[in-house]
Amino acid sequence: MSGTDDMQIFLTYGDIALASSLIIIVLILSWRLRLTLTKTLLTAAVRTIVQLSFIGLILAWIFAREQWYEVLLILTIMTLIAGGAAKNRVKRSYKGLFIDTLLAVSLSAVLVTSIAIFVILRVQPWYTPQFVIPILGLILGNSLTAISLTSNQLIEAFHEQQGRIEMMLSLSARPFEAVHEQIRAAIINGMTPTLNSMLVVGIVSLPGMMTGQILAGADPTQAVRYQIVTMFLICVSSTLGCTISALLIYRRFFNKHEQFLSP
């Protein structure tokens, strides 16, 4: 390590190289156990370094300028990429899937981020990149995972339980009644990782945001308060995103005559 200043440790490129070399352990395990993950691990490691280094340079430039239109452009790009990532994680695609995942991701994340910036943190000006970019990024990352899990399970359920759904419709069930159980199960599935994290946070695990703040020299009590806020923001955004995603998929599989469309 390079040295300390008020107990703050500054990482050098040598420290990063040392941490990166630990991936060799994973590669050896993959080779010995024949996991066939060598190429994926190397690609992931290289992309981690390149992508984070690149975004670090961009954020340093944006933080120095603090122009609202530049911040808004970054937020828009982040949201579009999150929508695409959520769509790519869904195994069974359909026409309009990207629009649906983008709407679910953007509506939930933008709403919750706006509440955080304008109501909870009261950031002035709102486009202060130090706050709005990390918060939106944290919410997007968790929301897209929840949304993709919900979408995957619901679409699979519509494929596998088509006969049951059509039988319920034939027995005079309304469309939402016919698929309510599938929608409920899909939303629960999407919310499970978030809820599991909330159940053990601070006891079993210290979240990345909190750990990063503490390592950077922040007051632990303030780091805890920020983490509590972000956990609730993530929970609300994930729930909204899963619900919106499920309702959009439901809309795609029924026509205006309330008939179930074969997947």
Side-chain angles (χ1 to χ4, degrees):
M1 301 281 178
S2 57
T4 61
D5 181 18
D6 296 329
M7 297 305 293
Q8 186 174 3
I9 298 175
F10 296 91
L11 295 175
T12 66
Y13 288 114
D15 299 325
I16 296 174
L18 183 61
S20 301
S21 66
L22 294 175
I23 199 70
I24 296 174
I25 299 174
V26 185
L27 292 174
I28 292 174
L29 288 174
S30 175
W31 171 64
R32 291 292 297 175
L33 298 176
R34 299 180 182 176
L35 302 179
T36 65
L37 291 176
T38 302
K39 182 178 179 180
T40 303
L41 287 168
L42 289 174
T43 302
V46 172
R47 288 189 60 170
T48 296
I49 296 172
V50 173
Q51 289 170 182
L52 288 178
S53 299
F54 180 67
I55 196 62
L57 293 174
I58 293 177
L59 290 179
W61 182 70
I62 292 177
F63 280 21
R65 291 169 55 85
E66 291 196 6
Q67 298 295 322
W68 69 268
Y69 53 87
E70 293 173 352
V71 174
L72 188 60
L73 177 61
I74 288 293
L75 299 179
T76 302
I77 293 174
M78 290 169 61
T79 304
L80 289 171
I81 293 175
K87 181 254 183 187
N88 291 335
R89 294 184 184 184
V90 178
K91 297 177 181 178
R92 292 181 185 263
S93 183
Y94 60 81
K95 185 178 181 181
L97 176 59
F98 174 69
I99 298 299
D100 289 348
T101 55
L102 180 60
L103 281 173
V105 167
S106 59
L107 290 177
S108 58
V110 170
L111 174 61
V112 174
T113 301
S114 298
I115 293 173
I117 294 297
F118 291 107
V119 180
I120 300 174
L121 300 178
R122 296 182 291 279
V123 178
Q124 293 292 337
W126 68 266
Y127 54 85
T128 304
Q130 175 189 353
F131 292 95
V132 67
I133 293 178
I135 289 175
L136 180 66
L138 191 65
I139 291 173
L140 284 174
N142 287 273
S143 294
L144 76 88
T145 298
I147 289 168
S148 62
L149 288 172
T150 295
S151 301
N152 255 325
Q153 175 153 329
L154 187 56
I155 295 172
E156 286 289 340
F158 283 174
H159 277 265
E160 296 174 359
Q161 302 179 33
Q162 179 180 350
R164 180 177 183 274
I165 295 171
E166 291 176 340
M167 181 190 70
M168 292 187 67
L169 290 172
S170 68
L171 295 175
S172 301
R174 300 298 301 274
F176 191 78
E177 293 174 337
V179 297
H180 173 261
E181 184 59 34
Q182 291 82 356
I183 290 176
R184 187 184 71 86
I187 293 176
I188 292 174
N189 184 53
M191 285 300 302
T192 297
T194 300
L195 295 176
N196 286 342
S197 296
M198 294 178 71
L199 289 171
V200 299
V201 65
I203 299 176
V204 177
S205 67
L206 291 180
M209 177 182 177
M210 177 178 165
T211 303
Q213 283 187 307
I214 293 175
L215 289 176
D219 179 2
T221 59
Q222 281 297 313
V224 167
R225 292 174 188 175
Y226 271 99
Q227 189 60 53
I228 291 172
V229 170
T230 55
M231 291 300 291
F232 285 122
L233 295 176
I234 289 170
C235 181
V236 174
S237 179
S238 296
T239 304
L240 288 175
C242 291
T243 304
I244 294 171
S245 175
L247 293 178
L248 290 173
I249 293 172
Y250 158 75
R251 179 179 62 88
R252 294 281 184 181
F253 281 81
F254 285 89
N255 61 22
K256 61 182 180 180
H257 302 295
E258 299 187 343
Q259 297 172 321
F260 184 68
L261 304 177
S262 299

